[in-house]
Amino acid sequence: MEIPGYEERIKNEIHHYTTLLDHQAQSDEVTGVLPRVPVFEYGLKVYQPYLGAQMKNLDLESYVVNRQSTLARPMRLLSLGCGAGDWEMRVAIRSRAQISIHLVDLSMDLLRKACEVGKREGVSVDTTVRDVNEVDLPRDYYDFVLCRSSLHHFLELERHHFLELERLFDQIRKTLTRGGQFIVVGEWIGRNGLQVYPETESVAQSLFDELPDRLRLNRYTNAIDTKVPNVDHSVNSFEAIRSEDIMPLLLENFTPYEHVTFDAFLSLLLDFRYGPNYDLTNGEDLAIAEDLIGKDIAAIQQGKLRPTSMFGIFQ
């Protein structure tokens, strides 16, 4: 059956990421589509001891590059929903053309950006403009399949008589070589639609109430918020459309090699909406950020709140 509004959602996805790309400053470096939020990146650095203790090969770029030495031929890597391909292009450059990379995304503009970087760096990549929900992959071909913050964009409803995420996992299992691995980078596994679980909302709200006005400035609306937002972002797009199913389906379809889950409310309070308010050179801002980060790590370590993000290697 056809999903109501499916084509409109496709257009919204392409428009959203193309707009982000258009607003980027031109750079000679390999860059991603999303802007950087220094305080959130700082939070991930503080999180490193916990993440590293759970997942030895957390530096997935190096892990992929180093695995090339185990093969007698160039490695083959497929990236699904790659965006501008910044992660993939860094791997290609570091591997000195010993890894063949194929990028698949909805947006021709984003893939064009990756090709521009490849041409400048002397790295060849194959690209395909395609709806990842409909890929048909060759059998026993790729040594690595990569999904980087893209799994939560794949569908929940029946279309063409199959469930898209389940079908995609079937395709990935089919295309991996013997010993091949499925790498998941920075995936959202929290509540559908990027919404907040009730228990997390309660804790986040109590912390939010203690913040000064300047740190509760909503950069999307330019208003001072009094309540932590809890919005379903999947209404008009594919954003986290079935994120709650990702971990159960991964564990059903693959064997974990290594993985780590993290981030209870960090992305809610320190990412794009409120994160730009923090000045890490300001002692008070830094102290507040470190307090929030510490409480987030403790909530995850103690199992008090559910994680929303994941890195992993599956086979």
Side-chain angles (χ1 to χ4, degrees):
M1 61 181 261
E2 193 74 11
I3 295 174
Y6 182 83
E7 297 302 332
E8 189 63 29
R9 291 185 187 208
I10 290 283
K11 292 177 183 177
N12 289 342
E13 289 277 303
I14 294 173
H15 174 74
H16 173 67
Y17 288 102
T18 301
T19 300
L20 287 172
L21 186 66
D22 289 344
H23 281 81
Q24 275 191 322
Q26 292 299 314
S27 169
D28 289 334
E29 298 180 359
V30 180
T31 57
V33 177
L34 297 177
R36 294 181 178 274
V37 182
V39 71
F40 184 74
E41 293 191 343
Y42 179 69
L44 293 181
K45 288 180 182 178
V46 177
Y47 238 117
Q48 286 299 307
Y50 170 78
L51 299 178
Q54 304 295 315
M55 185 171 170
K56 180 181 67 174
N57 293 295
L58 191 62
D59 182 357
L60 289 166
E61 286 184 29
S62 295
Y63 177 75
V64 171
V65 171
N66 293 338
R67 281 288 295 267
Q68 168 54 40
S69 63
T70 66
L71 294 179
R73 55 165 173 76
M75 180 181 288
R76 294 189 286 262
L77 181 148
L78 169 69
S79 181
L80 299 171
C82 64
D86 50 306
W87 192 99
E88 297 84 348
M89 295 309 301
R90 288 194 299 268
V91 166
I93 292 167
R94 288 178 61 184
S95 75
R96 299 179 181 179
Q98 290 303 301
I99 299 180
S100 171
I101 294 182
H102 186 180
L103 305 178
V104 180
D105 198 87
L106 273 174
S107 171
M108 182 181 298
D109 291 331
L110 296 181
L111 291 175
R112 187 179 296 119
K113 175 69 174 178
C115 291
E116 289 172 1
V117 172
K119 184 176 181 180
R120 186 173 66 240
E121 299 292 340
V123 174
S124 176
V125 295
D126 292 324
T127 61
T128 299
V129 179
R130 191 168 182 81
D131 181 350
V132 174
N133 288 307
E134 299 178 344
V135 294
D136 186 12
L137 302 177
R139 185 174 296 278
D140 300 324
Y141 187 78
Y142 290 103
D143 304 295
F144 282 108
V145 175
L146 172 73
C147 282
R148 186 166 53 90
S149 299
S150 59
L151 283 177
H152 64 275
H153 288 262
F154 303 144
L155 284 178
E156 63 174 335
L157 301 175
E158 290 187 17
R159 183 169 185 257
H160 303 321
H161 308 293
F162 50 69
L163 295 172
E164 308 294 354
L165 190 53
E166 286 82 350
R167 177 184 182 275
L168 180 65
F169 284 167
D170 284 342
Q171 288 287 314
I172 291 171
R173 290 192 354 249
K174 179 183 79 171
T175 201
L176 284 173
T177 57
R178 184 178 180 84
Q181 294 180 319
F182 178 28
I183 292 185
V184 181
V185 180
E187 186 54 64
W188 174 269
I189 58 168
R191 192 177 180 190
N192 289 348
L194 299 181
Q195 296 177 91
V196 182
Y197 290 112
E199 62 272 22
T200 303
E201 184 177 16
S202 176
V203 172
Q205 185 63 53
S206 66
L207 296 171
F208 195 69
D209 289 341
E210 300 299 318
L211 298 179
D213 285 357
R214 59 186 173 79
L215 298 182
R216 289 187 287 109
L217 173 65
N218 188 323
R219 292 302 184 101
Y220 295 156
T221 65
N222 206 34
I224 305 296
D225 285 348
T226 58
K227 190 177 188 307
V228 171
N230 197 6
V231 180
D232 184 352
H233 291 272
S234 67
V235 173
N236 295 311
S237 72
F238 299 122
E239 193 65 65
I241 194 163
R242 63 178 308 193
S243 51
E244 294 172 42
D245 295 333
I246 290 174
M247 276 306 299
L249 285 172
L250 276 171
L251 297 176
E252 180 182 322
N253 285 274
F254 302 93
T255 301
Y257 179 74
E258 289 184 335
H259 74 286
V260 60
T261 58
F262 62 103
D263 183 2
F265 51 78
L266 202 65
S267 56
L268 177 66
L269 298 184
L270 295 183
D271 209 350
F272 305 114
R273 186 179 280 106
Y274 305 113
N277 296 324
Y278 288 78
D279 177 2
L280 294 180
T281 65
N282 179 305
E284 183 181 7
D285 284 12
L286 182 60
I288 291 173
E290 289 182 338
D291 179 62
L292 292 173
I293 296 162
K295 287 175 177 173
D296 190 278
I297 294 172
I300 293 295
Q301 285 180 317
Q302 296 165 16
K304 292 182 176 179
L305 296 177
R306 283 180 272 188
T308 64
S309 300
M310 185 267 290
F311 290 93
I313 304 170
F314 300 84
Q315 54 193 27

